[in-house]
Amino acid sequence: MSETRRKLTTIFCADVQDYTRLMGADEEGTLAALKRCREAMGRLIESHGGRVVNTWGDGLIADFPSVVEAVRAAVDTQNELAGFNARRPEDGRMLFRIGINLGDVIVEDDDIYGDGVNIAARLQSSASAGGIVISSTVYDQVRNKVAVGFEFLGPLMVKNVDEGVPSYAVKIGDAKDETPPPQRAGPAQPQPQSAAQIADASPVPGRRRLFAVLGVIAAVLIGINLLSWQGVFWARFPVLALAVVAAFAWNRNQTLFNRKITSLAIVALGIVGINLFTWTGQFWAVWPILGIAAVMGLRWSMRR
């Protein structure tokens, strides 16, 4: 018999709201839409370092070594599927509910079992259509690391778990109507934060420090160039490189745009900068930019 293994992992559980109704209305169309949504979800899960563990019916389970990347994958998934559903009739939209939990699980072959999985499934079933619900263990790890808001939902009762599991709804794009958890005796619950509060939390000062360091380095290089002026502004190339590094650092944690497409745009701007700094009367950057634009267009069409 194979030895039972256990591991601590982030469980990502998703299924479709009103799947039975959708199948009753249009079996073939619903299956085609489900396949397309699953492909998009699987691609986003893999891009965030996760692994699809199992699929059944309209459900999907994945696990992630990183709690932060699991939540980012869920946010990106709901944003991408929102674009897909915007072009579908209202009664034919395929809206997924996602639950995320950090817990200890039993590993058998490529599958996972245990209370950690059961809690993720219960969180998923309590999510709204197109929404995300996370456990407090996930919230504790991501509240200052992901640019979304959170709404405390209270303890969630789970079968075979004695105490309720404190849960939070992830508020994508709008965190203005959050309410703090009720005050009660005993250990204090972590306070949910709005997007504005998160923007002032620790990761942003960290990025600000990086930008400040890059700015100081750029200023020093320009100063050295000017003080040792010999008719050539050589500092323009390292300054351009520092600007590209700063842009990629910003892109790493931003949620306003698709990060892969934005990365291509940063590369294109860098190429334009090189062309301008080495100007010989020919705008040769138009050809690599055209290629990058084609890749961006393909990615955007697949994303939609």
Side-chain angles (χ1 to χ4, degrees):
M1 296 179 62
S2 61
E3 182 179 355
T4 300
R5 296 186 297 113
R6 305 190 73 98
K7 71 174 181 178
L8 182 67
T9 191
T10 309
I11 306 102
F12 174 114
C13 187
D15 82 345
V16 180
Q17 175 84 1
D18 292 336
Y19 181 70
T20 302
R21 177 185 61 79
L22 293 171
M23 284 292 289
D26 180 6
E27 285 187 350
E28 293 184 359
T30 298
L31 287 175
L34 177 63
K35 181 179 179 181
R36 181 171 178 181
C37 290
R38 271 190 178 161
E39 288 175 351
M41 192 179 299
R43 170 173 49 81
L44 289 169
I45 288 171
E46 290 181 3
S47 71
H48 285 276
R51 173 183 69 101
V52 175
V53 175
N54 203 349
T55 59
W56 73 99
D58 61 319
L60 177 147
I61 289 183
D63 69 347
F64 292 78
S66 166
V67 186
V68 172
E69 292 302 322
V71 175
R72 285 176 177 165
V75 172
D76 286 351
T77 293
Q78 295 294 31
N79 284 334
E80 181 154 337
L81 295 183
F84 169 73
N85 282 306
R87 296 181 290 107
R88 296 174 63 84
E90 187 172 352
D91 60 351
R93 293 177 179 174
M94 184 159 287
L95 302 173
F96 278 80
R97 302 172 299 187
I98 298 177
I100 303 177
N101 179 46
L102 172 64
D104 192 83
V105 299
I106 299 172
V107 181
E108 185 174 308
D109 296 326
D110 292 330
D111 215 339
I112 55 177
Y113 305 89
D115 286 342
V117 179
N118 296 337
I119 291 173
R122 182 68 181 88
L123 293 168
Q124 164 262 304
S125 65
S126 69
S128 60
I132 306 166
V133 172
I134 62 175
S135 63
S136 60
T137 55
V138 172
Y139 172 81
D140 290 340
Q141 299 297 319
V142 306
R143 63 177 184 169
N144 292 331
K145 299 181 178 71
V146 182
V148 294
F150 301 93
E151 179 183 0
F152 184 67
L153 301 178
L156 186 68
M157 301 310 299
V158 180
K159 185 178 180 181
N160 297 327
V161 177
D162 294 336
E163 298 181 358
V165 177
S167 58
Y168 294 81
V170 177
K171 304 192 63 76
I172 305 172
D174 182 9
K176 294 181 180 179
D177 58 346
E178 295 166 12
T179 55
Q183 300 296 321
R184 56 184 178 184
Q189 294 292 335
Q191 299 292 317
Q193 294 184 308
S194 67
Q197 290 173 312
I198 290 173
D200 292 331
S202 58
V204 172
R207 290 198 297 274
R208 286 176 180 168
R209 282 193 293 271
L210 173 62
F211 296 153
V213 169
L214 293 175
V216 170
I217 293 174
V220 169
L221 290 172
I222 293 172
I224 293 173
N225 194 169
L226 295 177
L227 292 174
S228 60
W229 184 257
Q230 294 181 352
V232 178
F233 186 49
W234 52 260
R236 63 189 185 277
F237 293 110
V239 169
L240 176 63
L242 292 172
V244 171
V245 170
F248 277 116
W250 165 80
N251 186 50
R252 182 179 179 183
N253 294 306
Q254 62 88 15
T255 58
L256 296 175
F257 312 101
N258 180 282
R259 283 192 287 272
K260 291 184 178 179
I261 293 178
T262 308
S263 295
L264 292 173
I266 293 171
V267 172
L269 290 174
I271 293 173
V272 171
I274 294 173
N275 193 169
L276 294 177
F277 288 160
T278 59
W279 185 255
T280 58
Q282 182 180 5
F283 187 52
W284 53 260
V286 66
W287 300 111
I289 289 175
L290 181 61
I292 291 173
V295 174
M296 291 172 64
L298 288 173
R299 280 197 169 276
W300 178 256
S301 63
M302 293 173 63
R303 177 178 181 269
R304 296 296 290 180

